[in-house]
Amino acid sequence: MSSLQYCYVAFAVLGVYLSMLIARRRYRILLPSVVHTSIWLVTVFLIICELKGFLVSNQVGNAAYQKSSEFICYMMICSVAGFSLAHMFSDQQLSCSRISLIDSSVLDSILHKFRWVPYMCFFTGLTLFGYIVLSGGSLVSFGDYRMFAITVERTGYASIAQRISGHINILGTLYLMLLGYKFGYEGFRVSSFFKYVLLCSTINMAIGGRVWIMSSTIPVFVTYSLVRHFSGMPTSVKKRDNRKVLGIAACMVLLFGGLGYLRVTSGSSISDDATPIDKLLYLTDGSKMTNRILNAYPEGSYELEYGQSEFLSNFMGSRMMERYMRSISHDIGLSVTVKSIMPNIYFDYGMFWGCVMWGFVCFLIEMMALRLMMRTKLMALFIYGTLCILLMQTPVGNVFSLYMPLFEWLVLIYLFRKLIFKSVRGISPYL
């Protein structure tokens, strides 16, 4: 089969499955299955556009996705099988369970107590932004920020600044989850949404990536969709909120594409014949990089790492990923290009068993999210929200490495939850 045929199969599988999820009322919330299926549906569609030369300025040949398209196809089939098994095992429990929610007054108290978090994110982001510009960045070249991040990632004061700002950014993500929960009770407030999303995402904006658009909005939508689904909100309010959410989603897509036009590479501006779809092709970069890795390291030419690359790279490192990064270290463009989750799976288990393992991972994540969804605990809410956003960046990175600091924060919050929330009235039943 050609790359295009594999992509057609993957697109059909994802499209049919997402339609089935939407058709079932109980799954009309942003569960990991919905997030994963949606982001990969968009990614596969963009790959098809590139292969067909449809809506893009440059058509690519079959060789650009020759091996990664097969990987994507089987990986998507296994993920759908994993999610479906999780739903099969959970259907009876979901139909019999009555889901309770955290009291809105307690939620207001938590948000009020930690109202300083968004502003801390904002001022930290401004400081980081200024530091990057003074260190050789540019106000108009977002690409320079990415190169700067690669250059200083492991050394000097910049490394310390990035690590501290990253941990502060995690607190902003948790605050946005609580804000979305509040919107689910009271209705979606557009002004508050934009205010707090911009405040909490300033740190991610500073380093120039466009992923902040997704990483700052999805946490709000995840918890909002959960509470909205079970809070008994009047139909009129739901219809009004639907229009608001669709409008915001459209704005975020336009912003994601629009920021691409502001990117400047090697001192030259975007070509005049670039199309709006070209600015979304960031999501396909990981698949192109995966194709290069599959060609460079055929199965049998390396020792499998059995989870070290995918799950433990933050603690033990990955020999194969480090080997590949050294091989492209002379090329700054490739060094800063996103890699997706696929190379890590491939180095751990190979292509076939890597796809099978990914299906198992999807099964576990969905099962845990469905169980946590039914618990009225603050920590359950945080873990549920984290699991739901976890798979969002799989086309562009190793999410287990990216989100490991967030899980570390969740452990710390759990251990010290009584001390952290002791001044919040009525919080005891939710701890």
Side-chain angles (χ1 to χ4, degrees):
M1 291 174 66
S2 67
S3 299
L4 194 58
Q5 289 172 321
Y6 277 119
C7 288
Y8 280 148
V9 173
F11 186 80
V13 169
L14 293 171
V16 170
Y17 183 64
L18 185 61
S19 300
M20 292 173 60
L21 288 177
I22 295 173
R24 302 185 66 184
R25 186 179 180 277
R26 70 179 59 175
Y27 297 118
R28 292 178 190 172
I29 51 180
L30 291 182
L31 288 165
S33 55
V34 176
V35 173
H36 180 275
T37 305
S38 299
I39 194 65
W40 274 103
L41 185 66
V42 173
T43 302
V44 173
F45 172 74
L46 292 172
I47 293 174
I48 292 173
C49 288
E50 279 197 289
L51 290 170
K52 293 281 289 182
F54 176 65
L55 299 176
V56 297
S57 57
N58 294 311
Q59 182 177 1
V60 300
N62 185 72
Y65 297 103
Q66 184 175 13
K67 292 189 176 181
S68 60
S69 60
E70 181 182 1
F71 200 160
I72 292 170
C73 180
Y74 295 133
M75 185 175 160
M76 294 304 103
I77 292 172
C78 290
S79 69
V80 167
F83 291 135
S84 299
L85 282 174
H87 295 164
M88 187 185 304
F89 288 129
S90 302
D91 269 352
Q92 185 176 0
Q93 186 173 357
L94 285 174
S95 61
C96 298
S97 300
R98 185 178 182 276
I99 298 178
S100 301
L101 300 171
I102 298 173
D103 188 83
S104 60
S105 62
V106 174
L107 191 68
D108 288 336
S109 298
I110 298 173
L111 288 170
H112 180 75
K113 177 179 173 64
F114 297 100
R115 62 190 181 279
W116 49 269
V117 168
Y119 297 97
M120 184 173 65
C121 291
F122 176 71
F123 288 113
T124 303
L126 285 184
T127 304
L128 186 61
F129 179 85
Y131 181 80
I132 292 174
V133 171
L134 292 174
S135 301
S138 166
L139 289 173
V140 296
S141 179
F142 288 98
D144 288 344
Y145 301 154
R146 298 174 72 190
M147 295 180 190
F148 175 88
I150 291 294
T151 304
V152 302
E153 183 178 5
R154 300 182 187 277
T155 59
Y157 291 110
S159 173
I160 298 173
Q162 284 186 319
R163 291 177 186 276
I164 293 175
S165 62
H167 284 284
I168 294 173
N169 188 63
I170 288 171
L171 298 179
T173 299
L174 298 177
Y175 189 91
L176 290 173
M177 289 181 189
L178 294 174
L179 187 68
Y181 207 93
K182 176 184 173 69
F183 288 162
Y185 270 119
E186 301 177 357
F188 208 92
R189 298 183 180 180
V190 177
S191 58
S192 294
F193 170 82
F194 281 112
K195 173 185 174 180
Y196 289 107
V197 162
L198 291 174
L199 288 174
C200 292
S201 59
T202 309
I203 294 172
N204 281 336
M205 290 183 199
I207 61 174
R210 287 179 284 166
V211 176
W212 68 265
I213 298 172
M214 294 187 294
S215 62
S216 299
T217 56
I218 297 298
V220 178
F221 289 145
V222 162
T223 51
Y224 164 75
S225 66
L226 173 67
V227 180
R228 177 184 184 270
H229 193 74
F230 297 106
S231 64
M233 183 185 293
T235 304
S236 59
V237 177
K238 287 185 178 181
K239 289 182 178 180
R240 184 185 63 199
D241 280 4
N242 286 343
R243 292 192 293 269
K244 292 179 181 179
V245 170
L246 289 174
I248 289 172
C251 288
M252 291 303 171
V253 171
L254 292 174
L255 182 61
F256 190 89
L259 285 177
Y261 283 104
L262 301 178
R263 298 287 291 271
V264 178
T265 307
S266 301
S268 60
S269 60
I270 301 290
S271 60
D272 293 335
D273 60 346
T275 69
I277 293 294
D278 284 337
K279 304 308 120 196
L280 303 178
L281 294 180
Y282 167 83
L283 288 173
T284 68
D285 287 347
S287 301
K288 294 191 190 78
M289 289 297 292
T290 299
N291 197 72
R292 295 175 64 95
I293 291 172
L294 295 178
N295 284 321
Y297 304 104
E299 288 191 84
S301 67
Y302 63 94
E303 293 185 9
L304 299 178
E305 297 184 340
Y306 299 107
Q308 184 174 331
S309 181
E310 184 181 5
F311 301 109
L312 302 175
S313 57
N314 279 23
F315 308 103
M316 302 174 63
S318 168
R319 297 186 305 275
M320 289 307 299
M321 283 302 295
E322 290 169 2
R323 177 180 170 186
Y324 180 69
M325 291 305 295
R326 285 195 299 270
S327 72
I328 61 173
S329 59
H330 64 283
D331 189 323
I332 295 296
L334 288 178
S335 297
V336 300
T337 301
V338 294
K339 307 298 188 292
S340 94
I341 190 70
M342 290 184 287
N344 304 93
I345 299 173
Y346 180 71
F347 287 144
D348 278 341
Y349 312 105
M351 182 181 291
F352 175 77
W353 288 109
C355 293
V356 173
M357 176 58 71
W358 186 247
F360 181 66
V361 169
C362 290
F363 167 78
L364 287 180
I365 290 175
E366 187 78 357
M367 281 288 289
M368 287 189 288
L370 290 170
R371 294 294 188 273
L372 291 166
M373 183 178 73
M374 294 180 282
R375 301 196 62 186
T376 316
K377 298 290 183 181
L378 188 61
M379 287 308 303
L381 171 64
F382 285 149
I383 300 172
Y384 166 82
T386 301
L387 291 176
C388 289
I389 65 176
L390 180 67
L391 303 181
M392 173 184 60
Q393 295 189 48
T394 47
V396 295
N398 179 5
V399 292
F400 297 103
S401 175
L402 290 171
Y403 284 94
M404 189 58 67
L406 178 50
F407 284 108
E408 292 169 355
W409 265 101
L410 291 177
V411 172
L412 289 174
I413 293 173
Y414 176 77
L415 293 176
F416 299 101
R417 63 192 185 282
K418 293 183 178 179
L419 179 64
I420 295 171
F421 300 104
K422 68 177 181 180
S423 63
V424 178
R425 183 176 297 178
I427 191 68
S428 298
Y430 308 111
L431 292 179

